[in-house]
Amino acid sequence: MRANRSRDTTPELATRRLAHAAGLRYLVDSKPEPALNRKADLVFRGPRIAVFIDGCFWHGCPVHHRLPVRNREYWDAKVKRNVARDIDTNVQLTRLGWTVQRYWEHQTPAEIVNDLKARVHSTKGATS
Ligand SMILES: [Zn+2]
């Protein structure tokens, strides 16, 4: 088990490297809205895009999430809480004028970055 699962996981790191190489500029692991205590993996302040790269296990990926045999109820409840929190984060940020983009960690960094590039460039006020 990683000591810190929310940061610097390999798919996320690879995605950040590729995004940076593609000329995208963003903040890492920061709060889009200081008053809202939720951190996004990548934050594009100009176009107001908050990006989350969700882990397949922790966020209940429909393709890969499987509950462990042991402590099944515990993990089921935990992942359900995460998913509920994700939905709440989406709602709150959208209300504050942010575009929320969620990707799965099983998506390739190239796939994520291509999609991000298109979104950042099509959003009014984009600075990169
Ligand atoms: Zn997955």
Side-chain angles (χ1 to χ4, degrees), residues 54-57 60-65 104-107:
D54 294 335
C56 292
F57 176 78
C61 167
V63 184
H64 302 108
H65 177 68
W104 290 108
E105 70 174 356
H106 69 247
Q107 291 182 264

Side-chain angles (χ1 to χ4, degrees), residues 59-116:
H59 297 267
C61 167
V63 184
H64 302 108
H65 177 68
R66 298 284 181 275
L67 283 171
V69 175
R70 290 173 72 89
N71 299 323
R72 203 176 175 83
E73 289 80 15
Y74 168 81
W75 291 112
D76 187 40
K78 184 159 184 68
V79 170
K80 278 180 178 147
R81 277 199 304 276
N82 287 345
V83 172
R85 187 177 157 91
D86 291 342
I87 292 168
D88 182 63
T89 300
N90 295 351
V91 168
Q92 304 247 28
L93 283 174
T94 303
R95 255 188 213 141
L96 292 164
W98 288 81
T99 299
V100 178
Q101 281 302 128
R102 285 190 181 273
Y103 302 97
W104 290 108
E105 70 174 356
H106 69 247
Q107 291 182 264
T108 66
E111 188 184 344
I112 294 173
V113 171
N114 283 337
D115 189 68
L116 264 181

